[in-house]
Amino acid sequence: MTGIDDLPIRAELRGKSPYGAPQLDVPVRLNTNENPYPLPEELVRRIAERVAEAARTLNRYPDRDAVALRAALARYLTGTTGYETDPGQVWAANGSNEVIQQLLQTFGGPGRTAIGFEPSYSMHGLIARGTGTGWLSGPRREDFTIDTGAAVRTIAERRPEVVFVCSPNNPTGTAVDRETVIELYEAAQAAGPSMVIVDEAYGEFSHRPSLLPLLDGRPNLVVTRTMSKAFGAAGLRLGYLAADPAVVDAVQLVRLPYHLSAVTQATALAALEHTGTLLGYVERLKDERDRLVRELRAIGCEVTDSDANFVQFGFFDDAHAMWQALLEHGVLVRDNGVPGWLRVSTGTPEENDAFLDAVRAVTKETTR
Ligand code: PMP
């Protein structure tokens, strides 16, 4: 049988494995930072209506520029962050992963490098690899915050064309303050000029305001967002960015024509009509996230402060054994390969109780 390595694939892909959290069928799945609440029935009905409307013209290609959707996303950003966002500053694609891919196709590529401060969202490095962009792993402090001085020095020395800042950071939950982003941006301009991409996939869950207002006067800054988390629509595949309109023009050079289907655009527009209800779930999830932090600490776990809809907890001599033990209690969490730490997504109160009970049971078993 032919294996991947028998094919004439690119040298840098040889021997690599694809990204993927295990999709296991267990009672409590808290491993991929999804929103645990299904969409409300009235929104499901509205999606059906708008998709039916779109279906009537499916013989035609969709709006290539997704004008109505970008206007609705701009209104959403303006309304929720207070930053007056123009539709010309917004671009959308199939998940923020595709947005990031388009950004790296535009600003990275062969002979160029991107940097991220790890542990962070592993897809930044994987999309870099997929687009032929070199990858630099920048460090974090022991408390998982970014060491700004060290980061600025690395940017000055290595001159990456793209700098990733994930805030709140996956998998640690750590938010990045605006002063740090400003310092990294200035370092990237002095060394480059280079693009700085702030990944705010979990922005709605943060205790802090969005970093979107930093776009003013910073044409090489991009903020990426997604409807996969706060909107509870991971299955929709809709991510977007806000940046200077020139960045939106630049990504047009690499985007596939008609990349965003008419069905996707119709569904996203329906969801954006219901932001009030959906953001109500966000408030509930933030309370539950804070409860997870408190209760895990009461159990005796170490917990990293979280601004996201998930919590990093430890410290385990063998995090993978802990992951396995929780799985045996019917609870799937995430082992991101950060030594000593695991990550749990905030579920419904019942799911969180089941998770906390499992942690209590496992710690009792192992300390007996
Ligand atoms: N950025 C971060 C930090 C994420 O954690 C994720 C999803 N896990 C994404 C981007 C991509 O999300 P999506 O493609 O669903 O928008």
Side-chain angles (χ1 to χ4, degrees):
M1 240 177 44
T2 310
I4 291 184
D5 286 340
D6 300 317
L7 300 172
I9 62 169
R10 288 160 47 196
E12 64 269 35
L13 300 181
R14 222 165 261 286
K16 297 289 196 296
S17 18
Y19 172 91
Q23 290 191 311
L24 304 178
D25 193 13
V26 293
V28 182
R29 282 187 297 171
L30 299 173
N31 69 328
T32 49
N33 300 341
E34 293 148 324
N35 191 317
Y37 295 107
L39 298 178
E41 247 339 279
E42 51 165 342
L43 171 53
V44 172
R45 278 195 298 276
R46 185 65 184 132
I47 290 173
E49 266 170 36
R50 288 202 79 137
V51 168
E53 239 170 76
R56 294 198 179 95
T57 51
L58 276 186
N59 56 315
R60 301 288 177 192
Y61 282 112
D63 176 0
R64 201 173 44 210
D65 297 329
V67 172
L69 175 58
R70 286 161 62 205
L73 288 166
R75 276 196 301 278
Y76 169 73
L77 288 177
T78 304
T80 51
T81 69
Y83 175 72
E84 200 63 47
T85 314
D86 185 85
Q89 290 179 274
V90 177
W91 179 244
N94 296 282
S96 49
N97 281 334
E98 191 186 26
V99 172
I100 293 165
Q101 184 177 50
Q102 292 178 345
L103 288 167
L104 282 172
Q105 286 176 318
T106 310
F107 300 105
R112 294 185 158 215
T113 53
I115 187 171
F117 301 96
E118 295 184 318
S120 190
Y121 181 43
S122 61
M123 280 308 296
H124 295 156
L126 290 178
I127 300 172
R129 188 174 76 201
T131 57
T133 313
W135 181 251
L136 283 173
S137 178
R140 280 178 184 261
R141 294 197 189 92
E142 224 167 77
D143 66 358
F144 300 107
T145 56
I146 295 177
D147 180 340
T148 315
V152 164
R153 280 194 298 282
T154 311
I155 291 170
E157 275 163 29
R158 308 293 295 271
R159 299 176 168 267
E161 279 79 7
V162 177
V163 177
F164 281 101
V165 181
C166 193
S167 183
N169 184 48
N170 180 10
T172 62
T174 319
V176 182
D177 56 48
R178 59 193 298 285
E179 288 68 31
T180 300
V181 178
I182 293 170
E183 277 189 59
L184 297 182
Y185 183 85
E186 277 161 13
Q189 301 324 298
S194 311
M195 298 304 291
V196 175
I197 301 174
V198 175
D199 183 336
E200 273 198 347
Y202 302 96
E204 286 94 338
F205 298 99
S206 184
H207 297 103
R208 305 185 195 205
S210 167
L211 294 163
L212 214 65
L214 291 181
L215 291 179
D216 262 348
R218 294 187 182 82
N220 295 343
L221 187 68
V222 183
V223 177
T224 61
R225 290 267 186 133
T226 181
M227 292 179 76
S228 297
K229 314 295 176 182
F231 278 83
L236 162 63
R237 308 309 299 130
L238 200 289
Y240 55 103
L241 65 75
D244 191 280
V247 174
V248 176
D249 289 345
V251 295
Q252 310 295 312
L253 300 171
V254 300
R255 61 108 178 90
L256 294 175
Y258 317 110
H259 67 297
L260 213 48
S261 87
V263 172
T264 300
Q265 294 186 41
T267 309
L269 278 164
L272 283 158
E273 289 174 13
H274 286 256
T275 49
T277 324
L278 296 171
L279 293 181
Y281 294 147
V282 169
E283 285 313 308
R284 269 198 239 170
L285 287 167
K286 283 161 78 174
D287 289 345
E288 278 295 303
R289 179 261 329 267
D290 292 341
R291 179 170 79 91
L292 279 176
V293 171
R294 279 195 310 275
E295 298 212 12
L296 280 167
R297 283 184 178 146
I299 294 170
C301 290
E302 279 185 50
V303 182
T304 314
D305 287 337
S306 176
D307 274 72
N309 66 338
F310 53 82
V311 174
Q312 178 176 260
F313 65 107
F315 189 91
F316 307 110
D317 292 335
D318 184 345
H320 198 72
M322 183 67 185
W323 178 86
Q324 187 67 45
L326 290 172
L327 188 60
E328 278 152 25
H329 282 78
V331 181
L332 180 60
V333 298
R334 187 72 176 270
D335 178 2
N336 290 92
V338 185
W341 298 88
L342 295 173
R343 188 195 71 193
V344 62
S345 310
T346 310
T348 59
E350 298 70 35
E351 288 171 326
N352 299 333
D353 284 340
F355 159 72
L356 290 164
D357 285 346
V359 175
R360 284 187 199 100
V362 172
T363 29
K364 215 178 268 167
E365 282 160 22
T366 50
T367 52
R368 193 172 288 154

